[in-house]
Amino acid sequence: MTDAADLTARFGMDGRLEFTSPADGMAVADIKTRLCSARIALQGAQVIDWTPAGEKPLIWLSPAAKFSAGKSIRGGIPVCWPWFGAHADPSLPAHGFARTVPWRVTAAESRPDDNLTLVFELAANAATQALWPYTTPLQLRITLGRTLQLELITRNEDKREVTLSEALHTYFAVSDVRQVSVTGLDGGDYLDKVTGFDRKTQQGAVTFDGEVDRIYVDTAAECVIHDPLWQRRILIEKQGSDSTVVWNPWHGKATAMGDMGAEGYLSMLCVESGNAAHNQVRLAPGDEHRLCVRYSISR
Ligand code: BG6
């Protein structure tokens, strides 16, 4: 049996959940319920589609995304962990390693209200220990229905205190980023990565007419993406997160990245809930940290 067939035999739910290995060989969980359809790549436990029934997709996946082992997939919800952004040691991968290694499916459950929960785990092995020499098992619980909820749970089973940064690096699908705004960050301070991490203060809503790459710090606020052309608002609620990252690479950087598609940057926007910069998380031995988000559509 292939891995996908084996997983379907263990966790499959008569058409609502099955595991497949498309031509590129990367195993994917396919979800289709009366509430939504979704796909989750086992590499990175990365949600690559979530479409509530009767809606346009909420999650953006690049038309030029590459699916190859050990490489992060452009779009969806990459899990940045156990560090966000560049590491002080340039030989270590940006945004950590959780997004580029296979995770294990450990449970799948359908609730009476038809929400479906999948549980993924990332346990340390020799390869991850070489990058992160701590015992900090990681779990991601994904609940899919009319809303999408993710809970990223880090447990410190090490004898030492650990400090980590993290983000759920969500790519949202939008009609045209030039027409879209993000509220919830007015008056908050951010580090502007476009101008060398200058600290600035947000005035009003965030709008897009060029590259945006900002870490808003000390904010637990709910954000809203306003998309007038698609006549929808995306609500982003979060817990256990003190930073929000807003990112769009714009034309020049998107072209250089090579996996965004020709005009892909116009139809996406990242609003990432996490703990970055001085908001990093300190975990004493035996402690646990939960980073939770909930996405929904309103009109
Ligand atoms: C964002 C960062 O979170 O991720 C950006 O703030 C970065 O600086 C972007 O360019 C994409 O990163 P990557 O590693 O997926 O290309």
Side-chain angles (χ1 to χ4, degrees):
M1 253 202 239
T2 62
D3 283 358
D6 184 43
L7 285 167
T8 300
R10 286 177 64 199
F11 300 111
M13 295 177 198
D14 52 346
R16 287 173 298 156
L17 169 63
E18 62 173 24
F19 294 83
T20 54
S21 285
D24 46 54
M26 191 176 280
V28 164
D30 274 309
I31 293 115
K32 181 112 191 75
T33 70
R34 71 177 177 85
L35 302 178
C36 69
S37 57
R39 300 181 82 210
I40 305 170
L42 269 56
Q43 174 170 293
Q46 186 163 337
V47 176
I48 50 175
D49 173 39
W50 172 58
T51 307
E55 302 285 352
K56 293 187 171 64
L58 207 106
I59 301 297
W60 184 84
L61 178 66
S62 170
K66 296 171 187 151
F67 292 82
S68 58
K71 294 268 168 7
S72 78
I73 304 163
R74 181 67 62 198
I77 311 183
V79 175
C80 302
W81 184 96
W83 58 85
F84 174 82
H87 195 281
D89 174 349
S91 71
L92 296 181
H95 290 326
F97 55 84
R99 62 178 180 161
T100 53
V101 297
W103 290 51
R104 226 157 40 89
V105 183
T106 56
E109 178 195 346
S110 176
R111 308 231 187 110
D113 61 6
D114 287 341
N115 276 281
L116 202 141
T117 299
L118 274 101
V119 182
F120 293 85
E121 290 187 5
L122 175 60
N125 59 34
T128 65
Q129 284 278 334
L131 300 166
W132 176 253
Y134 302 100
T135 307
T136 50
L138 186 62
Q139 189 182 74
L140 183 64
R141 303 177 65 86
I142 305 175
T143 300
L144 307 118
R146 295 291 305 171
T147 66
L148 173 63
Q149 297 175 62
L150 285 88
E151 261 184 290
L152 184 70
I153 306 161
T154 308
R155 276 200 322 278
N156 183 3
E157 291 183 359
D158 210 275
K159 292 189 174 59
R160 299 161 288 179
E161 180 181 272
V162 297
T163 301
L164 59 97
S165 53
E166 58 184 349
L168 294 165
H169 190 307
T170 308
Y171 289 74
F172 290 100
V174 296
S175 58
D176 179 340
V177 74
R178 296 167 295 192
Q179 309 289 325
V180 160
S181 62
V182 178
T183 55
L185 298 164
D186 185 20
D189 279 5
Y190 62 91
L191 307 176
D192 191 343
K193 291 176 83 173
V194 177
T195 61
F197 286 86
D198 288 340
R199 191 170 175 123
K200 301 179 180 170
T201 301
Q202 180 64 37
Q203 310 287 342
V206 185
T207 54
F208 302 86
D209 58 5
E211 182 188 0
V212 170
D213 193 356
R214 303 174 181 174
I215 303 174
Y216 289 84
V217 290
D218 307 322
T219 176
E222 177 181 322
C223 287
V224 180
I225 299 175
H226 302 259
D227 192 336
L229 293 182
W230 279 357
Q231 298 179 334
R232 74 178 185 186
R233 288 182 294 158
I234 301 173
L235 308 187
I236 302 169
E237 298 163 87
K238 62 177 192 165
Q239 284 177 349
S241 159
D242 287 329
S243 315
T244 296
V245 176
V246 180
W247 178 63
N248 183 293
W250 219 250
H251 186 261
K253 283 213 171 142
T255 306
M257 282 157 58
D259 58 359
M260 289 286 295
E263 297 288 292
Y265 74 98
L266 290 175
S267 55
M268 57 68 66
L269 165 64
C270 288
V271 179
E272 310 165 33
S273 301
N275 294 290
H278 66 262
N279 294 138
Q280 57 194 3
V281 174
R282 280 200 177 78
L283 273 184
D287 276 4
E288 167 176 295
H289 174 75
R290 284 172 187 255
L291 166 62
C292 308
V293 295
R294 182 169 181 271
Y295 304 137
S296 55
I297 294 178
S298 83
R299 295 217 148 70

